[in-house]
Amino acid sequence: MKKRVISFILTFLFMGILWITLSGKFEPLLLFLGLVSVIIVTLMSGNLLFSNPSNDYTITFFRFLGYLPWIIIQIIKANIHVLKIVFSPNMMEKIDPHIIVFTTRLKKDFSIVTMANSITLTPGTITVTANPDGKFRVHAIDRPCAEDLPGEMEERVAKVFGE
Amino acid sequence: MHILINSIVIGLLFIGLIFFTGGTLGILRMPDFYTRLHPAGKLDTMGLMSFVFAFCIYNLEHLTWDSLIVSLKMLLIVFFVSLSSPTATHAIVDAGIRAGLKPWTKKNKEG
Amino acid sequence: MIDLFTYIGIYICFLMIFSLYRGIAGPTVLDRLIGVNAIGSKTVVFLLLIGFIYKRIDMFVDIALAYGLLNFIAVLAAARYFHKKRGLYEESKF
């Protein structure tokens, strides 16, 4: 019961901030309309967004903020790599698409989703399937892109989610 | 100050243009649909992000409450796109795998 | 600066036309989907550019946000729909 109340309050605050950002006006009528719609949405889907709130979430959130700069640098480096492939005149010799399969030790749903999205955002690799057991099938565009997987990314994701 | 902001904005805009050009060229040149997804899904996202950051900085030059809200909305666009683009890419790959399309490899072409 | 925005808008229009080639001539349905998705992500930038050119960015940013989300949902729905269609790659024989 207590958890439901906390998740209701978190959803309410999140939706309220979103409403104020999207509206940007502070007239009483608009604020009242926003309050009514936020309450309706919270009652309908209050336990959807933060299904199991606990103190771990805040720690995980700050660890995730520490993970962001590394992944952004990786994304930019890999983007430049793909850009070079696309602009090179002999593109057909450079690309070598193939599918690789590997197993990670990640078990939580959230960490597997983060890992899959990180792989897809890093250019040169696309997640084809990801099982709950931590088994990934990845389509890579050439050999150097695939060599880095799973490697460092897995360790960092595991550290963020405490596995 | 004005010149500094303008040069940063113009630099980001040109980086975005290079990424968009690369994405379009990649869609046109790549041999099959799995390889086409690589430039389409991600070079486009990268270009969009750098464009939107450029617009954010340009918009914040005259700092008022309205321009702050508009810039926040632009950052919201970046957030949604960076969340939804991998999902859309994955949905398309999944559809291709389930429909039974074979990925293009070098051996297929040579042999 | 507004002139620069106009030229960039024209250039993005050209890029959209080239992407449209993949949307029309792509051998399979999924290729067309990729082309349409690429046009959609360029349209978000294009809407923001229009907003700056006509000095109504406060209005056009909402349109761009909604368009980005709609584009995502359209691609997702189309990809889900073509899951069930077997023999997708035989379409070029018609």
Side-chain angles (χ1 to χ4, degrees):
Chain A
M1 191 59 208
K2 198 186 156 201
K3 274 185 178 175
R4 272 191 77 177
V5 173
I6 292 175
S7 82
F8 265 41
I9 291 170
L10 279 177
T11 314
F12 184 83
L13 285 179
F14 183 74
M15 292 290 164
I17 291 170
L18 200 64
W19 173 278
I20 288 173
T21 314
L22 286 180
S23 139
K25 293 196 176 74
F26 290 96
E27 292 162 28
L29 174 68
L30 289 175
L31 278 183
F32 175 72
L33 285 178
L35 192 70
V36 170
S37 28
V38 167
I39 286 176
I40 290 174
V41 169
T42 310
L43 286 180
M44 275 166 68
S45 60
N47 50 2
L48 194 69
L49 201 56
F50 305 96
S51 58
N52 191 12
S54 61
N55 280 337
D56 294 351
Y57 265 36
T58 34
I59 302 168
T60 307
F61 180 72
F62 284 110
R63 281 212 214 110
F64 186 75
L65 286 187
Y67 172 70
L68 273 181
W70 182 78
I71 193 71
I72 287 172
I73 290 172
Q74 290 303 111
I75 288 170
I76 290 172
K77 269 200 296 199
N79 259 309
I80 291 169
H81 179 77
V82 173
L83 206 63
K84 271 184 199 160
I85 290 179
V86 167
F87 277 124
S88 68
N90 53 349
M91 184 193 71
M92 282 302 182
E93 280 96 63
K94 278 198 176 177
I95 61 170
D96 185 11
H98 58 287
I99 289 184
I100 56 173
V101 179
F102 60 87
T103 312
T104 62
R105 61 196 166 86
L106 304 173
K107 287 287 176 286
K108 288 182 193 166
D109 288 354
F110 217 70
S111 52
I112 287 172
V113 169
T114 310
M115 180 87 185
N117 262 5
S118 302
I119 290 173
T120 307
L121 262 178
T122 327
T125 46
I126 291 179
T127 313
V128 178
T129 54
N131 304 3
D133 317 327
K135 198 176 169 200
F136 284 82
R137 276 171 78 202
V138 173
H139 183 268
I141 199 167
D142 64 351
R143 299 282 163 190
C145 280
E147 276 169 6
D148 302 340
L149 288 173
E152 200 184 350
M153 190 185 280
E154 185 200 345
E155 279 170 27
R156 290 201 178 238
V157 172
K159 218 165 83 183
V160 166
F161 292 97
E163 288 189 39
Chain B
M1 197 61 192
H2 183 76
I3 294 171
L4 182 72
I5 287 179
N6 269 10
S7 50
I8 291 173
V9 167
I10 290 173
L12 277 174
L13 285 178
F14 273 95
I15 291 172
L17 274 185
I18 290 169
F19 276 114
F20 266 173
T21 315
T24 311
L25 252 175
I27 294 175
L28 291 180
R29 286 183 75 192
M30 288 285 179
D32 88 320
F33 124 84
Y34 292 101
T35 44
R36 258 171 227 151
L37 267 174
H38 290 273
K42 287 161 300 198
L43 291 183
D44 271 3
T45 312
M46 193 72 199
L48 192 142
M49 278 160 113
S50 106
F51 262 114
V52 173
F53 279 128
F55 292 153
C56 250
I57 295 169
Y58 177 75
N59 193 42
L60 279 178
E61 202 181 340
H62 308 287
L63 196 62
T64 57
W65 174 252
D66 282 344
S67 72
L68 198 69
I69 287 282
V70 167
S71 289
L72 266 180
K73 279 181 200 169
M74 285 180 188
L75 288 184
L76 216 58
I77 292 178
V78 169
F79 174 72
F80 279 133
V81 166
S82 64
L83 211 68
S84 69
S85 159
T87 317
T89 311
H90 175 74
I92 297 176
V93 168
D94 203 34
I97 289 282
R98 282 180 200 228
L101 283 171
K102 289 271 179 295
W104 182 93
T105 53
K106 268 198 168 156
K107 277 173 195 162
N108 281 357
K109 206 191 169 195
E110 284 161 8
Chain C
M1 208 62 176
I2 299 295
D3 285 343
L4 183 71
F5 284 161
T6 314
Y7 294 136
I8 288 176
I10 293 168
Y11 185 70
I12 287 178
C13 271
F14 274 112
L15 287 184
M16 277 185 195
I17 292 169
F18 285 124
S19 304
L20 195 62
Y21 169 77
R22 189 48 76 199
I24 292 169
T28 67
V29 176
L30 293 169
D31 284 307
R32 290 157 210 259
L33 209 57
I34 294 171
V36 171
N37 192 13
I39 292 177
S41 70
K42 287 177 183 63
T43 309
V44 174
V45 171
F46 194 63
L47 280 172
L48 289 176
L49 277 173
I50 292 175
F52 276 118
I53 291 168
Y54 287 102
K55 299 193 171 52
R56 287 302 307 272
I57 185 65
D58 52 337
M59 188 172 79
F60 274 90
V61 74
D62 289 341
I63 302 173
L65 185 58
Y67 189 85
L69 290 180
L70 262 180
N71 184 32
F72 166 61
I73 291 171
V75 169
L76 211 60
R80 282 284 136 187
Y81 175 70
F82 288 118
H83 256 186
K84 289 171 186 143
K85 294 246 165 166
R86 287 269 157 197
L88 206 57
Y89 51 103
E90 289 160 12
E91 186 223 23
S92 53
K93 287 176 192 163
F94 290 134

CSV table of all heavy atoms in Angstrom, one decimal, chain A residues 28-77:
chain,number,residue,atom,x,y,z
A,28,PRO,N,-4.6,30.9,-14.0
A,28,PRO,CA,-5.3,30.0,-13.1
A,28,PRO,C,-6.1,28.9,-13.8
A,28,PRO,O,-6.1,27.8,-13.4
A,28,PRO,CB,-6.2,30.9,-12.3
A,28,PRO,CG,-5.6,32.3,-12.4
A,28,PRO,CD,-4.9,32.3,-13.7
A,29,LEU,N,-6.8,29.3,-14.9
A,29,LEU,CA,-7.6,28.4,-15.6
A,29,LEU,C,-6.8,27.2,-16.2
A,29,LEU,O,-7.1,26.1,-16.0
A,29,LEU,CB,-8.4,29.1,-16.8
A,29,LEU,CG,-9.2,28.2,-17.7
A,29,LEU,CD1,-10.4,27.6,-17.0
A,29,LEU,CD2,-9.6,28.9,-18.9
A,30,LEU,N,-5.7,27.6,-16.8
A,30,LEU,CA,-4.8,26.5,-17.4
A,30,LEU,C,-4.2,25.6,-16.4
A,30,LEU,O,-4.1,24.4,-16.6
A,30,LEU,CB,-3.7,27.2,-18.3
A,30,LEU,CG,-4.2,27.9,-19.6
A,30,LEU,CD1,-3.1,28.6,-20.3
A,30,LEU,CD2,-4.8,26.8,-20.5
A,31,LEU,N,-3.8,26.3,-15.2
A,31,LEU,CA,-3.2,25.4,-14.2
A,31,LEU,C,-4.3,24.5,-13.6
A,31,LEU,O,-4.0,23.3,-13.3
A,31,LEU,CB,-2.7,26.3,-13.1
A,31,LEU,CG,-1.3,26.9,-13.3
A,31,LEU,CD1,-0.9,27.7,-12.1
A,31,LEU,CD2,-0.3,25.8,-13.6
A,32,PHE,N,-5.5,25.0,-13.5
A,32,PHE,CA,-6.6,24.1,-13.0
A,32,PHE,C,-6.9,22.9,-13.9
A,32,PHE,O,-7.0,21.8,-13.5
A,32,PHE,CB,-7.9,24.9,-12.8
A,32,PHE,CG,-9.1,24.1,-12.4
A,32,PHE,CD1,-9.1,23.6,-11.1
A,32,PHE,CD2,-10.1,23.9,-13.3
A,32,PHE,CE1,-10.2,22.8,-10.7
A,32,PHE,CE2,-11.2,23.1,-12.9
A,32,PHE,CZ,-11.2,22.6,-11.6
A,33,LEU,N,-6.9,23.3,-15.3
A,33,LEU,CA,-7.1,22.2,-16.3
A,33,LEU,C,-6.0,21.2,-16.2
A,33,LEU,O,-6.2,20.0,-16.3
A,33,LEU,CB,-7.2,22.8,-17.7
A,33,LEU,CG,-8.5,23.5,-18.0
A,33,LEU,CD1,-8.4,24.1,-19.4
A,33,LEU,CD2,-9.7,22.6,-17.9
A,34,GLY,N,-4.8,21.7,-16.0
A,34,GLY,CA,-3.6,20.8,-15.9
A,34,GLY,C,-3.7,19.9,-14.7
A,34,GLY,O,-3.5,18.7,-14.8
A,35,LEU,N,-4.1,20.5,-13.6
A,35,LEU,CA,-4.3,19.7,-12.4
A,35,LEU,C,-5.3,18.6,-12.6
A,35,LEU,O,-5.0,17.4,-12.2
A,35,LEU,CB,-4.7,20.6,-11.2
A,35,LEU,CG,-4.6,20.0,-9.8
A,35,LEU,CD1,-3.2,19.8,-9.4
A,35,LEU,CD2,-5.4,20.9,-8.8
A,36,VAL,N,-6.5,18.9,-13.2
A,36,VAL,CA,-7.5,17.9,-13.4
A,36,VAL,C,-7.0,16.8,-14.3
A,36,VAL,O,-7.1,15.6,-14.0
A,36,VAL,CB,-8.7,18.5,-14.0
A,36,VAL,CG1,-9.7,17.5,-14.5
A,36,VAL,CG2,-9.4,19.5,-13.0
A,37,SER,N,-6.3,17.1,-15.4
A,37,SER,CA,-5.8,16.1,-16.3
A,37,SER,C,-4.7,15.2,-15.7
A,37,SER,O,-4.7,14.0,-15.9
A,37,SER,CB,-5.4,16.6,-17.7
A,37,SER,OG,-5.0,17.9,-17.5
A,38,VAL,N,-3.8,15.9,-14.9
A,38,VAL,CA,-2.8,15.1,-14.3
A,38,VAL,C,-3.4,14.1,-13.3
A,38,VAL,O,-2.9,13.0,-13.2
A,38,VAL,CB,-1.8,16.1,-13.6
A,38,VAL,CG1,-0.9,15.3,-12.7
A,38,VAL,CG2,-0.9,16.8,-14.6
A,39,ILE,N,-4.4,14.6,-12.5
A,39,ILE,CA,-5.0,13.6,-11.6
A,39,ILE,C,-5.7,12.5,-12.3
A,39,ILE,O,-5.5,11.3,-11.9
A,39,ILE,CB,-6.0,14.4,-10.7
A,39,ILE,CG1,-5.3,15.3,-9.7
A,39,ILE,CG2,-6.9,13.4,-9.9
A,39,ILE,CD1,-6.2,16.2,-8.9
A,40,ILE,N,-6.4,12.8,-13.4
A,40,ILE,CA,-7.0,11.7,-14.1
A,40,ILE,C,-6.0,10.6,-14.6
A,40,ILE,O,-6.1,9.4,-14.5
A,40,ILE,CB,-7.8,12.2,-15.3
A,40,ILE,CG1,-9.1,13.0,-14.8
A,40,ILE,CG2,-8.3,11.1,-16.2
A,40,ILE,CD1,-9.8,13.7,-15.8
A,41,VAL,N,-4.9,11.2,-15.2
A,41,VAL,CA,-3.8,10.3,-15.7
A,41,VAL,C,-3.2,9.5,-14.6
A,41,VAL,O,-3.0,8.3,-14.8
A,41,VAL,CB,-2.8,11.1,-16.5
A,41,VAL,CG1,-1.6,10.2,-16.8
A,41,VAL,CG2,-3.4,11.6,-17.8
A,42,THR,N,-3.0,10.1,-13.5
A,42,THR,CA,-2.3,9.4,-12.4
A,42,THR,C,-3.2,8.3,-11.8
A,42,THR,O,-2.8,7.2,-11.5
A,42,THR,CB,-2.0,10.4,-11.2
A,42,THR,OG1,-1.4,11.5,-11.8
A,42,THR,CG2,-1.2,9.8,-10.2
A,43,LEU,N,-4.6,8.6,-11.8
A,43,LEU,CA,-5.5,7.5,-11.3
A,43,LEU,C,-5.5,6.4,-12.3
A,43,LEU,O,-5.6,5.2,-11.9
A,43,LEU,CB,-6.9,8.1,-11.1
A,43,LEU,CG,-7.0,9.0,-9.9
A,43,LEU,CD1,-8.5,9.5,-9.8
A,43,LEU,CD2,-6.7,8.2,-8.6
A,44,MET,N,-5.4,6.7,-13.6
A,44,MET,CA,-5.6,5.6,-14.6
A,44,MET,C,-4.3,4.8,-14.7
A,44,MET,O,-4.4,3.5,-14.7
A,44,MET,CB,-5.9,6.2,-15.9
A,44,MET,CG,-7.4,6.4,-16.2
A,44,MET,SD,-7.6,7.5,-17.6
A,44,MET,CE,-7.1,6.4,-18.9
A,45,SER,N,-3.1,5.4,-14.6
A,45,SER,CA,-1.9,4.6,-14.9
A,45,SER,C,-0.8,5.0,-13.9
A,45,SER,O,0.3,5.2,-14.2
A,45,SER,CB,-1.4,4.9,-16.3
A,45,SER,OG,-1.2,6.2,-16.5
A,46,GLY,N,-1.2,5.1,-12.6
A,46,GLY,CA,-0.3,5.5,-11.6
A,46,GLY,C,0.8,4.5,-11.3
A,46,GLY,O,1.9,4.9,-10.9
A,47,ASN,N,0.5,3.2,-11.5
A,47,ASN,CA,1.5,2.2,-11.1
A,47,ASN,C,2.2,1.7,-12.3
A,47,ASN,O,2.8,0.6,-12.3
A,47,ASN,CB,0.8,1.0,-10.4
A,47,ASN,CG,-0.4,0.6,-11.1
A,47,ASN,OD1,-0.7,1.0,-12.2
A,47,ASN,ND2,-1.1,-0.4,-10.5
A,48,LEU,N,2.2,2.4,-13.5
A,48,LEU,CA,2.8,1.9,-14.7
A,48,LEU,C,4.2,2.4,-14.8
A,48,LEU,O,5.1,1.6,-15.1
A,48,LEU,CB,2.0,2.4,-15.9
A,48,LEU,CG,2.3,1.8,-17.2
A,48,LEU,CD1,1.8,0.3,-17.2
A,48,LEU,CD2,1.6,2.5,-18.3
A,49,LEU,N,4.5,3.7,-14.5
A,49,LEU,CA,5.8,4.3,-14.8
A,49,LEU,C,6.8,3.8,-13.7
A,49,LEU,O,7.9,3.4,-14.1
A,49,LEU,CB,5.6,5.8,-14.8
A,49,LEU,CG,6.7,6.6,-15.5
A,49,LEU,CD1,6.8,6.1,-16.9
A,49,LEU,CD2,6.3,8.0,-15.5
A,50,PHE,N,6.5,4.0,-12.4
A,50,PHE,CA,7.4,3.5,-11.4
A,50,PHE,C,6.8,2.4,-10.7
A,50,PHE,O,6.1,2.5,-9.7
A,50,PHE,CB,7.7,4.7,-10.4
A,50,PHE,CG,8.2,6.0,-11.0
A,50,PHE,CD1,7.3,7.0,-11.4
A,50,PHE,CD2,9.5,6.1,-11.3
A,50,PHE,CE1,7.7,8.1,-12.0
A,50,PHE,CE2,9.9,7.3,-11.9
A,50,PHE,CZ,9.0,8.3,-12.3
A,51,SER,N,7.0,1.2,-11.2
A,51,SER,CA,6.2,0.0,-10.7
A,51,SER,C,6.7,-0.4,-9.3
A,51,SER,O,5.9,-0.9,-8.6
A,51,SER,CB,6.3,-1.1,-11.7
A,51,SER,OG,7.7,-1.5,-11.9
A,52,ASN,N,8.0,-0.3,-9.0
A,52,ASN,CA,8.4,-0.8,-7.7
A,52,ASN,C,9.4,0.1,-7.1
A,52,ASN,O,10.7,-0.1,-7.2
A,52,ASN,CB,9.1,-2.2,-8.0
A,52,ASN,CG,9.3,-2.9,-6.6
A,52,ASN,OD1,8.9,-2.4,-5.6
A,52,ASN,ND2,10.1,-4.0,-6.7
A,53,PRO,N,9.0,1.3,-6.6
A,53,PRO,CA,9.9,2.3,-6.1
A,53,PRO,C,10.6,1.9,-4.8
A,53,PRO,O,10.0,1.3,-3.9
A,53,PRO,CB,9.0,3.5,-5.9
A,53,PRO,CG,7.7,3.0,-5.6
A,53,PRO,CD,7.6,1.7,-6.4
A,54,SER,N,11.9,2.1,-4.8
A,54,SER,CA,12.7,1.9,-3.5
A,54,SER,C,13.8,2.8,-3.5
A,54,SER,O,14.0,3.6,-4.5
A,54,SER,CB,13.1,0.4,-3.5
A,54,SER,OG,13.9,0.2,-4.6
A,55,ASN,N,14.7,2.8,-2.5
A,55,ASN,CA,15.8,3.7,-2.4
A,55,ASN,C,16.8,3.4,-3.5
A,55,ASN,O,17.6,4.2,-3.8
A,55,ASN,CB,16.4,3.6,-1.0
A,55,ASN,CG,15.6,4.4,0.0
A,55,ASN,OD1,14.9,5.3,-0.4
A,55,ASN,ND2,15.7,4.0,1.3
A,56,ASP,N,16.9,2.1,-4.0
A,56,ASP,CA,17.9,1.8,-5.0
A,56,ASP,C,17.7,2.6,-6.2
A,56,ASP,O,18.7,2.9,-6.9
A,56,ASP,CB,17.7,0.3,-5.4
A,56,ASP,CG,18.0,-0.6,-4.2
A,56,ASP,OD1,18.5,-0.1,-3.2
A,56,ASP,OD2,17.8,-1.8,-4.3
A,57,TYR,N,16.5,3.1,-6.5
A,57,TYR,CA,16.2,3.8,-7.7
A,57,TYR,C,17.1,5.1,-7.8
A,57,TYR,O,17.6,5.4,-8.8
A,57,TYR,CB,14.8,4.1,-7.8
A,57,TYR,CG,14.0,3.1,-8.7
A,57,TYR,CD1,14.3,1.8,-8.6
A,57,TYR,CD2,13.0,3.5,-9.5
A,57,TYR,CE1,13.7,0.8,-9.4
A,57,TYR,CE2,12.3,2.6,-10.3
A,57,TYR,CZ,12.6,1.3,-10.2
A,57,TYR,OH,12.0,0.3,-10.9
A,58,THR,N,17.1,5.8,-6.6
A,58,THR,CA,17.9,7.1,-6.7
A,58,THR,C,19.4,6.8,-6.9
A,58,THR,O,20.0,7.5,-7.7
A,58,THR,CB,17.6,7.8,-5.4
A,58,THR,OG1,17.5,6.9,-4.3
A,58,THR,CG2,16.4,8.7,-5.4
A,59,ILE,N,19.9,5.8,-6.2
A,59,ILE,CA,21.3,5.5,-6.4
A,59,ILE,C,21.6,5.1,-7.8
A,59,ILE,O,22.5,5.6,-8.5
A,59,ILE,CB,21.7,4.3,-5.4
A,59,ILE,CG1,21.4,4.7,-4.0
A,59,ILE,CG2,23.2,4.0,-5.6
A,59,ILE,CD1,21.5,3.6,-3.0
A,60,THR,N,20.7,4.2,-8.4
A,60,THR,CA,20.9,3.8,-9.8
A,60,THR,C,20.8,5.0,-10.7
A,60,THR,O,21.6,5.0,-11.7
A,60,THR,CB,19.8,2.8,-10.1
A,60,THR,OG1,19.8,1.7,-9.2
A,60,THR,CG2,20.0,2.2,-11.5
A,61,PHE,N,19.9,5.9,-10.4
A,61,PHE,CA,19.7,7.1,-11.3
A,61,PHE,C,21.0,7.9,-11.3
A,61,PHE,O,21.5,8.2,-12.4
A,61,PHE,CB,18.6,7.9,-10.8
A,61,PHE,CG,18.3,9.2,-11.6
A,61,PHE,CD1,17.8,9.1,-12.8
A,61,PHE,CD2,18.7,10.4,-11.1
A,61,PHE,CE1,17.5,10.2,-13.6
A,61,PHE,CE2,18.5,11.5,-11.8
A,61,PHE,CZ,17.9,11.4,-13.1
A,62,PHE,N,21.7,8.1,-10.2
A,62,PHE,CA,22.9,8.9,-10.2
A,62,PHE,C,24.1,8.1,-10.8
A,62,PHE,O,24.9,8.7,-11.5
A,62,PHE,CB,23.3,9.3,-8.7
A,62,PHE,CG,22.4,10.4,-8.3
A,62,PHE,CD1,21.5,10.3,-7.3
A,62,PHE,CD2,22.6,11.7,-8.9
A,62,PHE,CE1,20.7,11.3,-6.9
A,62,PHE,CE2,21.8,12.7,-8.5
A,62,PHE,CZ,20.8,12.5,-7.5
A,63,ARG,N,24.1,6.8,-10.6
A,63,ARG,CA,25.1,6.0,-11.3
A,63,ARG,C,24.9,6.0,-12.8
A,63,ARG,O,25.9,6.1,-13.6
A,63,ARG,CB,25.0,4.5,-10.9
A,63,ARG,CG,25.6,4.3,-9.5
A,63,ARG,CD,26.2,2.8,-9.5
A,63,ARG,NE,26.1,2.3,-8.2
A,63,ARG,CZ,25.3,1.3,-7.9
A,63,ARG,NH1,24.5,0.8,-8.8
A,63,ARG,NH2,25.2,0.8,-6.7
A,64,PHE,N,23.6,6.1,-13.2
A,64,PHE,CA,23.3,6.1,-14.7
A,64,PHE,C,23.8,7.5,-15.3
A,64,PHE,O,24.3,7.5,-16.4
A,64,PHE,CB,21.8,6.0,-14.9
A,64,PHE,CG,21.4,5.9,-16.3
A,64,PHE,CD1,21.6,4.7,-17.0
A,64,PHE,CD2,20.8,7.0,-17.0
A,64,PHE,CE1,21.3,4.6,-18.4
A,64,PHE,CE2,20.5,6.9,-18.3
A,64,PHE,CZ,20.7,5.7,-19.0
A,65,LEU,N,23.7,8.6,-14.5
A,65,LEU,CA,24.2,9.8,-14.9
A,65,LEU,C,25.7,9.8,-15.2
A,65,LEU,O,26.2,10.4,-16.0
A,65,LEU,CB,23.8,10.9,-13.9
A,65,LEU,CG,22.4,11.4,-13.9
A,65,LEU,CD1,22.2,12.6,-13.0
A,65,LEU,CD2,21.9,11.8,-15.3
A,66,GLY,N,26.4,9.0,-14.3
A,66,GLY,CA,27.8,8.8,-14.5
A,66,GLY,C,28.1,8.0,-15.8
A,66,GLY,O,29.2,8.1,-16.4
A,67,TYR,N,27.2,7.1,-16.2
A,67,TYR,CA,27.4,6.3,-17.3
A,67,TYR,C,27.2,7.1,-18.6
A,67,TYR,O,27.8,6.7,-19.6
A,67,TYR,CB,26.4,5.1,-17.3
A,67,TYR,CG,26.3,4.2,-18.4
A,67,TYR,CD1,27.3,3.3,-18.8
A,67,TYR,CD2,25.1,4.2,-19.2
A,67,TYR,CE1,27.2,2.5,-19.9
A,67,TYR,CE2,25.0,3.4,-20.3
A,67,TYR,CZ,26.0,2.5,-20.6
A,67,TYR,OH,25.9,1.7,-21.7
A,68,LEU,N,26.4,8.1,-18.6
A,68,LEU,CA,26.0,8.9,-19.8
A,68,LEU,C,27.2,9.5,-20.5
A,68,LEU,O,27.2,9.3,-21.8
A,68,LEU,CB,25.0,10.0,-19.4
A,68,LEU,CG,23.5,9.5,-19.5
A,68,LEU,CD1,22.6,10.7,-19.1
A,68,LEU,CD2,23.1,9.0,-20.8
A,69,PRO,N,28.1,10.2,-19.9
A,69,PRO,CA,29.2,10.8,-20.7
A,69,PRO,C,30.0,9.8,-21.5
A,69,PRO,O,30.3,10.0,-22.7
A,69,PRO,CB,30.1,11.5,-19.6
A,69,PRO,CG,29.2,11.6,-18.5
A,69,PRO,CD,28.2,10.6,-18.5
A,70,TRP,N,30.3,8.6,-20.9
A,70,TRP,CA,31.0,7.6,-21.6
A,70,TRP,C,30.3,7.1,-22.8
A,70,TRP,O,30.9,7.0,-23.9
A,70,TRP,CB,31.3,6.4,-20.6
A,70,TRP,CG,32.1,5.3,-21.2
A,70,TRP,CD1,33.4,5.3,-21.4
A,70,TRP,CD2,31.6,4.1,-21.8
A,70,TRP,NE1,33.8,4.1,-22.0
A,70,TRP,CE2,32.7,3.4,-22.3
A,70,TRP,CE3,30.3,3.5,-22.0
A,70,TRP,CZ2,32.6,2.1,-22.9
A,70,TRP,CZ3,30.2,2.3,-22.6
A,70,TRP,CH2,31.3,1.6,-23.1
A,71,ILE,N,29.0,6.9,-22.7
A,71,ILE,CA,28.2,6.3,-23.8
A,71,ILE,C,28.1,7.4,-24.9
A,71,ILE,O,28.2,7.1,-26.1
A,71,ILE,CB,26.9,5.8,-23.4
A,71,ILE,CG1,26.2,4.9,-24.5
A,71,ILE,CG2,25.9,6.8,-23.0
A,71,ILE,CD1,26.9,3.6,-24.7
A,72,ILE,N,28.0,8.7,-24.5
A,72,ILE,CA,27.9,9.7,-25.5
A,72,ILE,C,29.2,9.8,-26.3
A,72,ILE,O,29.2,9.9,-27.6
A,72,ILE,CB,27.6,11.1,-24.9
A,72,ILE,CG1,26.1,11.1,-24.4
A,72,ILE,CG2,27.8,12.2,-25.8
A,72,ILE,CD1,25.8,12.3,-23.6
A,73,ILE,N,30.4,9.7,-25.6
A,73,ILE,CA,31.7,9.7,-26.4
A,73,ILE,C,31.8,8.5,-27.3
A,73,ILE,O,32.2,8.6,-28.5
A,73,ILE,CB,32.8,9.7,-25.3
A,73,ILE,CG1,32.9,11.1,-24.6
A,73,ILE,CG2,34.2,9.5,-26.0
A,73,ILE,CD1,33.9,11.1,-23.5
A,74,GLN,N,31.3,7.3,-26.8
A,74,GLN,CA,31.4,6.1,-27.7
A,74,GLN,C,30.5,6.4,-28.9
A,74,GLN,O,30.9,6.0,-30.0
A,74,GLN,CB,30.8,4.9,-26.9
A,74,GLN,CG,31.7,4.4,-25.9
A,74,GLN,CD,33.1,4.1,-26.4
A,74,GLN,OE1,34.0,4.7,-26.0
A,74,GLN,NE2,33.2,3.0,-27.2
A,75,ILE,N,29.3,7.0,-28.7
A,75,ILE,CA,28.4,7.2,-29.8
A,75,ILE,C,29.0,8.1,-30.9
A,75,ILE,O,29.0,7.8,-32.1
A,75,ILE,CB,27.0,7.8,-29.3
A,75,ILE,CG1,26.2,6.7,-28.6
A,75,ILE,CG2,26.2,8.3,-30.5
A,75,ILE,CD1,25.0,7.2,-27.9
A,76,ILE,N,29.7,9.2,-30.4
A,76,ILE,CA,30.2,10.1,-31.4
A,76,ILE,C,31.4,9.5,-32.1
A,76,ILE,O,31.5,9.6,-33.4
A,76,ILE,CB,30.7,11.4,-30.6
A,76,ILE,CG1,29.5,12.2,-30.1
A,76,ILE,CG2,31.6,12.3,-31.5
A,76,ILE,CD1,29.9,13.3,-29.2
A,77,LYS,N,32.2,8.7,-31.4
A,77,LYS,CA,33.4,8.0,-32.1
A,77,LYS,C,32.8,7.1,-33.2
A,77,LYS,O,33.3,7.1,-34.3
A,77,LYS,CB,34.2,7.2,-31.1
A,77,LYS,CG,35.3,8.0,-30.5
A,77,LYS,CD,36.4,7.2,-29.9
A,77,LYS,CE,36.1,6.4,-28.7
A,77,LYS,NZ,37.1,5.9,-27.9
